[in-house]
Structures are given as structure tokens and as C-alpha cells.
Amino acid sequence: MSEMNAQTGERKASSLGQEIVGQINALATISENPGNLTRIFLTPEHRAAANLIMSWMAEAGMSTHLDAIGNVCGRYEGKRPRLPCLMLGSHYDTVRDAGKWDGPLGLITAISCVADLNRRGRRLPFAIEVVGFADEEGVRFASTLLGSRAIAGTFNESVLATKDGSGKTMRQALIEFGLDPDHIGAAARVRGELLAYIELHIEQGPVLEAHNLPVGVVTAIAGAKRLAVRLTGMAGHAGTVPMALRRDALTGAAECISRIEELCRSDDAGLVGTVGYIHATPGATNVIPGQAHFTMDIRAPTDNHRKRAVSEIVRQIEAIAKRRKLELHLDVTHENRTVPCAPWLKQQVAAAVAAEGHGVFELPSGAGHDGMAMIDIADVAMIFVRCRGGISHHPDEHVDLADADASARVLLRLIENFRPREAG
Ligand SMILES: [Zn+2]
């Protein structure tokens, strides 16, 4: 049985998967420094990667252009010119010292599917557009989803004034790259031009691997809320203040953090909570901490779920602070809505997964993706691909060739059987 699967894997691998992995490897050589992968927005590497990707798009039978924010765009006409499109895509910027699959897998797989249609001379009753988003990670200007926001028409012009680490503004960087910052609006598309937006992406988590599945159907891109918490008690001598009389801010924070973990662990519907930063003052071995700051990041697959969870967490933190006689200060530092994948699209993804012989498994995306911006002009769906050990944003990020092939076959089947949403 396993031998047979291995053989099937081998046979399939010789087609789409091989081409995809070859291109992933080629793209990964375009990096700020040799030895690790770093490809940042509006750099010479961005330019080189865009040229390479556009050459693949052209070979796949697409017309190509670089849009006003530096996204690479390819279009494969349908049976007639100027039909609305099914848009596919992902990003081709990276974090620092990145893995090579996060972003490029979805982009390159989409191009490979179009190349396959083109080889067969197959035209569909709609156009296919493939977009490589120029900046999703937000490494350079600490502002994410720049490429997809430009396409969705929600690019906030005020970010043009933000500066990178060297003090250069985004406006200046765009001009030096050869783009016109006053014409970013030209990249924007409108709802009627798109039938849907579908993105294939590595899972970046361990769930598909644990279920022994190559692909998964994404239910929603989880919204997130981040809060900064400050607890103030009373600093004091570590030797002289009896335990019962202390107002220790750090032990208060510790109790809050344990409670956040407990609440999230007891939830079986996808709630996750993280305290990633803590700082106590005055911060000396022999002094009772008078103040503690910590952050929390809470995510859930629906907005209601997240809101309910955050208010319960806040209620419990308030109770802990009160009992310990600590002053509490809470600040919301970030909140973004949940982006649900459209049920009609999800059904078509599930049908393609099943038809390719895989179990249909649904999971939410805890990480953010370009669909968070694209939802403003199109219904969104995502396909997740298993990655080894759930490791991402790290050079050890890895997708097996057989999984790259299996997911490409799912996407190709999905495209060929795609039916636009019925009006009404
Ligand atoms: Zn990504």
C-alpha cells in the first residue's frame, strides 16, 4: 500500500510538482545576501524576482505587467477577451532569514496551473489572473498587505510617509524603484472584474501534518486583538515586607497569564491566546516588582468568538487585579476583523480536494494573509498545504514535492470546475 502510494507520488511528482519545486528553488536564489533568504519590498531583489516571475507568467501564456505598487500581474484570457477573472495569487516578499515556500508556493502553483491549461489549449468561460503581491509581510515599512490593499483600492496614502530603518520614506523608495507614488490608485481593481480570489498557501502550523493530510480547506482568516496590560502595585524590600502585605505586580501578571492560557486551552473552537512580552520594574533580585507590563494577542475563527473571549479574559484580569490590590491599565493596540471564506467557494474547494482523493479537512488560518485585504473586492477562499513540523518564517520551512504536486492538482481541478456564484 505504501509502496503503491510512493509510486503514485513518483508519477505525479514528475509533472506539476517538479516544475513548482524547481521554480521555488530558482526564486529562492534571489536574496539580499547569499546563504539565507531575505527579499524585501522595493529592493533590487524585488525587481529581479518580479522579472523572473513575469517570465514564467509569459511562458504560461499570460500577458503580464508590474502594477503601480510593484505587484506582478498576469492574465490568461478566457474563451473571449475581457471576461471577468478568477484571481489567484500570493506574495513574493519574505521575512528576514525566511523559508522559501511562504508566499511563492501559492504564486508559482497558480502559474503552473495556467501553464498546464495553456499547454492543452484549454480556455475557460472566465479569465484567470495571477497576482504576486509585492509586500505582504510588511518588513520594510512596518505596514502589512501593501500589495493587496493597492489592488483592493484600500491603500492608505498616509503610509507613503513612513520611513524604513535607514530613514527613507516609502514615497522615495517607490520613486527610486521606478514607480509613481501618486498613481497607486491605478493598481486598484473593482468588484465586478473579479469572480473570486483564491489563495493557496503553506499552513505555517502543524495541524495538517498531525492529521496526515496534504491539503486543507480554510474556513476563515482569524481576526486578532492585541492588548497591552499594565499592573501597578508597590515596590518593596524583598526581605522585610511580609507576604500577606505585598502588592507584587509581577506575581499578579503571572496569575493573569496563567488564566489566559487556561481559558484558551479550555476552548475547543480555535481560540488562541499568546503573551509574548513581559517586563517588570524595578527589575532587581531583592526588590518586590512594583509594576509589570505584558501584551496579549487573542485570535479566534469568528469575530463574536474573539469578542466574547476577550471580554471574559478582561473580566478575569480585572478580578485578579482587584483581589491583589493592583491598579490595572489596559490599552487596545491592534484589532482586525475575521475574514470568513465564502461558503460557496469553500464548497468548490472541498469538492476538488475530495475528487483528488484526499480527506476533506477544514481549519482556520491563525496567520494573516492577503485575503484580509482582498475581501473588500471579492469573495475569498484559501487552500492550505502541509508543511514539515509546522515550521515557517524560518529557513527550515519545507513542503514535500508530493504535497506540492497534490495541492497543485487540487487547485487545477478547482479552476477547471470553477462556477461563478449564481446571481441573486
Ligand atoms: Zn505568507
Side-chain angles (χ1 to χ4, degrees), residues 38-103:
T38 302
R39 199 167 48 242
I40 308 294
F41 185 45
L42 304 176
T43 58
E45 297 76 48
H46 174 179
R47 167 76 63 190
N51 288 341
L52 182 59
I53 295 161
M54 286 196 291
S55 76
W56 292 332
M57 287 174 160
E59 278 167 32
M62 287 185 262
S63 58
T64 66
H65 71 281
L66 194 70
D67 78 5
I69 191 80
N71 297 322
V72 289
C73 306
R75 182 173 164 99
Y76 182 74
E77 295 292 348
K79 286 182 171 154
R80 290 179 285 118
R82 290 187 298 280
L83 287 167
C85 74
L86 171 61
M87 189 176 276
L88 311 169
S90 198
H91 59 98
Y92 66 105
D93 66 323
T94 71
V95 295
R96 293 197 173 276
D97 202 10
K100 60 191 174 188
W101 307 86
D102 171 8

Side-chain angles (χ1 to χ4, degrees), residues 90-91 93 101-104 136-137 199 201-202 204 367-370 392-393:
S90 198
H91 59 98
D93 66 323
W101 307 86
D102 171 8
E136 186 267 352
E137 303 284 6
E199 178 164 350
H201 200 283
I202 61 164
Q204 304 182 279
H369 294 290
D370 286 298
S392 184
H393 285 187

Side-chain angles (χ1 to χ4, degrees), residues 366-397:
H369 294 290
D370 286 298
M372 294 164 78
M374 295 303 292
I375 190 89
D376 285 322
I377 51 163
D379 284 347
V380 169
M382 288 191 77
I383 303 167
F384 268 174
V385 183
R386 168 167 58 189
C387 61
R388 189 175 61 198
I391 296 166
S392 184
H393 285 187
H394 188 280
D396 289 347
E397 196 178 83

Side-chain angles (χ1 to χ4, degrees), residues 82-328:
R82 290 187 298 280
L83 287 167
C85 74
L86 171 61
M87 189 176 276
L88 311 169
S90 198
H91 59 98
Y92 66 105
D93 66 323
T94 71
V95 295
R96 293 197 173 276
D97 202 10
K100 60 191 174 188
W101 307 86
D102 171 8
L105 180 63
L107 174 57
I108 287 171
T109 302
I111 296 170
S112 274
C113 288
V114 173
D116 191 83
L117 294 173
N118 188 50
R119 281 192 289 268
R120 288 184 278 135
R122 180 104 205 259
R123 296 282 165 178
L124 299 167
F126 48 87
I128 301 171
E129 293 196 21
V130 179
V131 180
F133 296 109
D135 180 288
E136 186 267 352
E137 303 284 6
V139 171
R140 183 162 181 185
F141 294 101
S143 181
T144 61
L145 305 175
L146 296 171
S148 44
R149 285 197 210 284
I151 289 195
T154 57
F155 184 88
N156 181 346
E157 303 248 322
S158 69
V159 304
L160 291 170
T162 55
K163 292 178 179 165
D164 67 8
S166 74
K168 188 174 288 180
T169 63
M170 191 189 303
R171 172 177 289 279
Q172 192 57 37
L174 281 162
I175 292 168
E176 287 173 15
F177 193 80
L179 297 169
D180 181 351
D182 294 321
H183 283 88
I184 288 173
R189 308 294 298 270
V190 297
R191 186 169 275 274
E193 299 174 330
L194 273 67
L195 299 170
Y197 172 74
I198 300 178
E199 178 164 350
L200 179 146
H201 200 283
I202 61 164
E203 184 202 339
Q204 304 182 279
V207 177
L208 290 173
E209 188 173 74
H211 286 80
N212 199 23
L213 289 168
V215 291
V217 183
V218 177
T219 52
I221 304 170
K225 184 161 186 164
R226 298 189 188 137
L227 297 101
V229 184
R230 189 176 73 225
L231 290 167
T232 307
M234 178 65 84
H237 195 291
T240 60
V241 184
M243 294 309 284
L245 300 180
R246 294 185 181 199
R247 293 166 58 214
D248 183 329
L250 184 54
T251 52
E255 189 180 346
C256 294
I257 295 166
S258 302
R259 189 62 53 81
I260 294 166
E261 189 190 32
E262 255 168 55
L263 282 166
C264 293
R265 286 184 83 127
S266 67
D267 179 287
D268 54 7
L271 178 69
V272 288
T274 305
V275 174
Y277 171 87
I278 184 161
H279 180 72
T281 48
T285 312
N286 58 350
V287 183
I288 299 161
Q291 204 167 68
H293 296 251
F294 65 93
T295 59
M296 53 180 172
D297 176 308
I298 310 292
R299 306 185 193 204
T302 70
D303 286 332
N304 271 340
H305 190 179
R306 182 185 70 255
K307 283 177 185 159
R308 263 186 284 116
V310 169
S311 41
E312 178 58 18
I313 287 167
V314 167
R315 201 183 61 76
Q316 298 222 17
I317 288 176
E318 282 167 349
I320 291 166
K322 191 170 175 211
R323 178 163 42 76
R324 288 174 168 267
K325 300 188 171 60
L326 301 171
E327 257 173 60
L328 171 66

